[in-house]
Amino acid sequence: QLQTKHSHRRQKVLVVANRLPTKPKRDADGNWTFERCSGGLVSCLAGIRAKFDMVWLGWPGADFNDVEKDIVANEAMKQGCYPVFLRQNLIDEYYNGFANNVLWPLFHYIMPPFDKGVNECSTGQWEAYRKANEIFTEAILSVYEDDDYVWIHDYHLMLVPKFLREAKPDCNIGWFLHTPFPSAEIYRTLPWRQEIIESLLHANLLGFHVYDYLRHFLSSCVQLTSLEISAHSVDATSIGGCIVTCATVPIGISPDEFLTGLQKPEVKQQIEQLHEQYAGRKVILGIDRLDYMKGIPHKLMSFGRFLENHPDWADKCVLVQLAVPSRRDVPEYQRLQRQVHELVGQISGKHSSIATGVPVIYMDSSMSPDDLSALYNVADVALITSLRDGMNLVSYEYIACQHGKTVPGVLILSEFAGAAQSLGAGSIRVNPWHLQDTAHAIYEALMMGSEEREALHDYAFKYVSEHTAQKWAETFLQCLQEACSDLMEVTSQ
Ligand code: G6P
């Protein structure tokens, strides 16, 4: 167990993410539920608790009044969480506005419309972003003790490293980006590029999913600062930062959670039911957050192309597409939903018949982990057409849930997802912008022989089971400890 140099207490890791892993909700009768989020970061970080005490700081997902805040804070603390409360206007301007309407599109290579700069109201949104980052920093400081490690997550909180370093010069600070870091040519269009990059350079360690994102970040540093930059570090001491280590630490999943889930009698029963329901048809599965960078319209159009190219497949396959609602207050997401509904309607109108039924089963909803595992298991093909994606863990989850089948399913994976760099050789890689290419990949996947399927699956499963979520978290923290101790050596010389 790791103990601090100042006392005998265990060192803490303060995990700081925009969202808490618990969703407090009050029903019409005034009863509270605190649904624990599953998957994602939550399972990644479970292993950390063995070594460190951990506190998770984040926004509880809604605006609460003072009485409600006490209830939420009490319950959150029982779960090792510390809520960071934000008022509705800040949620609108910081979360819906700057984070999800300025940074998120830009980091996924979507520029503002060609006839506009980042629109004027973004200046107010930038102020709100700064304010929210200050509020998060204050929350960190209220639980921080000397020698703790602060692990900041994602694009929402990029100003925290500087604010925190100014308040606690010796603080151990790591930041991990869950999205792509765009090419410097894209990043440097951001009016606030300087403040953001300089703030990040106040951390000890910056982590990215894949080497390309790290490289893009370093190119931005070269273009926007006059600091000394090497292949994996930036000397930011002249601007009050540190010698910052940059590392590639790809995230993973906990395959065991899925494999154990698949053994549950209720999941087995669900699998049987799905087999019966889709008997005689191949299931092509799409699971995405309803987000424009997931390329759902491109997927639907490619599937439409496939049916046009191979009308004989119309009664032999079905596309099951789950689109989990997301960021509903951002207009772009509302537009996307309308567009997707229209496309589903068009394809169904064109390819449905009384005899064969509908070719697309589309759901605007989320699913329980058990139902999801069953669906992953029965799917013959998983179709991932992200236009840009930090990693894409759906591809990993699909591979995990195919394990143990006599004839495993085939993963079709966009080359623009970070996962293409790890699972590329275990999948059919596609350029989702090339509809005909994706349509052909669907055909290829459906027709693939069992030997080739097994070879692809074995490759992908080996990767997924070796590069787990727990390993990701441990590696990041180990790099952080090394980055911080290297720094101590430099300063004591
Ligand atoms: C992406 C981001 C995460 C975010 C998630 C869900 O994966 O990298 O930071 O939590 O989307 O989005 P939401 O806006 O609902 O938190």
Side-chain angles (χ1 to χ4, degrees):
Q1 287 187 359
L2 295 164
Q3 290 175 346
T4 68
K5 53 182 186 295
H6 292 119
S7 69
H8 293 301
R9 74 174 179 86
R10 292 214 310 168
Q11 270 171 298
K12 286 202 297 300
V13 174
L14 308 183
V15 170
V16 194
N18 175 58
R19 256 183 209 285
L20 274 188
T22 176
K23 277 190 218 146
K25 265 196 207 132
R26 190 176 201 178
D27 67 18
D29 301 328
N31 301 317
W32 285 90
T33 52
F34 293 85
E35 197 185 304
R36 186 130 183 114
C37 308
S38 58
L41 258 191
V42 183
S43 45
C44 292
L45 299 173
I48 297 182
R49 292 187 195 271
K51 269 197 186 167
F52 297 93
D53 283 338
M54 191 174 99
V55 179
W56 186 315
L57 295 94
W59 170 55
D63 188 8
F64 294 105
N65 66 33
D66 288 345
V67 179
E68 292 170 334
K69 277 185 190 167
D70 286 343
I71 298 169
V72 170
N74 273 334
E75 184 59 35
M77 303 246 186
K78 284 189 213 153
Q79 300 185 14
C81 295
Y82 186 98
V84 180
F85 294 107
L86 304 173
R87 298 318 314 238
Q88 190 57 46
N89 61 345
L90 208 54
I91 297 169
D92 289 340
E93 300 283 296
Y94 144 73
Y95 169 73
N96 292 322
F98 199 78
N100 286 326
N101 213 19
V102 176
L103 292 175
W104 176 267
L106 197 75
F107 277 31
H108 291 88
Y109 289 69
I110 298 167
M111 305 275 293
F114 72 91
D115 55 348
K116 283 194 190 143
V118 173
N119 56 39
E120 274 176 25
C121 72
S122 298
T123 305
Q125 293 179 352
W126 163 248
E127 291 308 325
Y129 183 79
R130 285 190 108 245
K131 180 79 201 148
N133 275 247
E134 273 166 10
I135 294 175
F136 271 88
T137 308
E138 278 159 27
I140 296 168
L141 291 172
S142 65
V143 280
Y144 175 84
E145 292 169 276
D146 282 345
D147 300 326
D148 284 345
Y149 288 93
V150 181
W151 185 0
I152 303 158
H153 291 263
D154 236 351
Y155 59 97
H156 311 85
L157 301 174
M158 293 190 290
L159 297 182
V160 173
K162 183 164 185 216
F163 292 150
L164 198 53
R165 179 71 63 212
E166 282 168 355
K168 294 278 172 198
D170 293 332
C171 189
N172 304 314
I173 307 174
W175 174 78
F176 187 85
L177 180 64
H178 291 260
T179 69
F181 194 91
S183 137
E185 290 311 303
I186 295 277
Y187 177 75
R188 69 199 182 98
T189 63
L190 185 66
W192 306 277
R193 59 195 189 178
Q194 203 73 30
E195 289 94 323
I196 290 179
I197 217 148
E198 287 188 3
S199 167
L200 290 174
L201 293 172
H202 285 70
N204 302 85
L205 173 70
L206 303 175
F208 304 86
H209 283 307
V210 299
Y211 178 68
D212 284 340
Y213 307 161
L214 184 159
R215 187 168 60 80
H216 293 324
F217 174 79
L218 288 180
S219 302
S220 297
C221 292
V222 170
Q223 293 189 17
L224 299 171
T225 73
S226 51
L227 302 173
E228 202 175 303
I229 294 156
S230 73
H232 290 281
S233 69
V234 180
D235 182 350
T237 42
S238 61
I239 57 163
C242 342
I243 297 176
V244 189
T245 306
C246 299
T248 306
V249 191
I251 201 167
I253 61 162
S254 304
D256 289 349
E257 282 179 19
F258 288 91
L259 295 173
T260 322
L262 287 171
Q263 295 311 316
K264 290 187 191 166
E266 59 274 29
V267 176
K268 286 187 170 172
Q269 198 185 344
Q270 171 81 339
I271 291 173
E272 254 174 57
Q273 274 171 9
L274 288 168
H275 276 308
E276 270 171 38
Q277 194 174 331
Y278 296 117
R281 285 189 167 211
K282 298 283 182 203
V283 175
I284 302 163
L285 180 63
I287 297 195
D288 304 281
R289 242 175 355 93
L290 185 61
D291 194 306
Y292 44 83
M293 42 62 80
K294 298 289 183 186
I296 303 174
H298 301 66
K299 176 165 13 191
L300 291 165
M301 289 187 284
S302 300
F303 182 63
R305 282 280 177 101
F306 160 73
L307 291 178
E308 277 155 37
N309 297 345
H310 302 280
D312 52 316
W313 272 96
D315 59 347
K316 287 193 249 143
C317 71
V318 59
L319 171 65
V320 177
Q321 175 67 48
L322 188 72
V324 180
S326 183
R327 307 177 191 164
R328 295 176 216 228
D329 295 331
V330 181
E332 213 41 65
Y333 288 72
Q334 298 161 3
R335 269 196 287 280
L336 173 72
Q337 191 171 48
R338 290 195 292 274
Q339 186 196 5
V340 166
H341 287 177
E342 199 175 309
L343 277 167
V344 171
Q346 276 172 16
I347 296 172
S348 296
K350 200 162 182 184
H351 299 282
S352 303
S353 78
I354 307 264
T356 61
V358 291
V360 183
I361 295 177
Y362 173 87
M363 291 156 282
D364 274 320
S365 54
S366 54
M367 236 179 220
S368 73
D370 283 355
D371 288 349
L372 206 54
S373 304
L375 198 50
Y376 276 135
N377 183 266
V378 298
D380 300 281
V381 176
L383 182 51
I384 290 160
T385 52
S386 306
L387 305 178
R388 211 44 85 163
D389 214 339
M391 179 53 89
N392 191 289
L393 293 180
V394 164
S395 55
Y396 283 48
E397 293 175 1
Y398 176 67
I399 295 295
C401 292
Q402 286 295 307
H403 200 59
K405 282 173 73 173
T406 355
V407 183
V410 182
L411 172 66
I412 301 177
L413 180 57
S414 162
E415 61 188 69
F416 297 104
Q421 303 208 7
S422 44
L423 301 186
S427 63
I428 302 182
R429 276 172 52 146
V430 288
N431 169 6
W433 297 93
H434 190 333
L435 305 184
Q436 194 61 34
D437 182 31
T438 310
H440 180 70
I442 297 174
Y443 181 69
E444 201 189 326
L446 290 169
M447 298 300 287
M448 190 181 283
S450 52
E451 226 169 88
E452 202 180 338
R453 284 166 177 263
E454 271 167 43
L456 290 184
H457 174 79
D458 289 351
Y459 178 93
F461 185 74
K462 186 168 187 297
Y463 188 93
V464 169
S465 46
E466 283 173 2
H467 297 81
T468 61
Q470 288 76 8
K471 195 166 166 203
W472 166 74
E474 277 165 25
T475 309
F476 184 90
L477 283 174
Q478 199 183 330
C479 291
L480 179 57
Q481 284 179 305
E482 282 165 13
C484 297
S485 57
D486 285 354
L487 187 74
M488 272 168 48
E489 276 166 29
V490 172
T491 41
S492 61
Q493 271 166 18

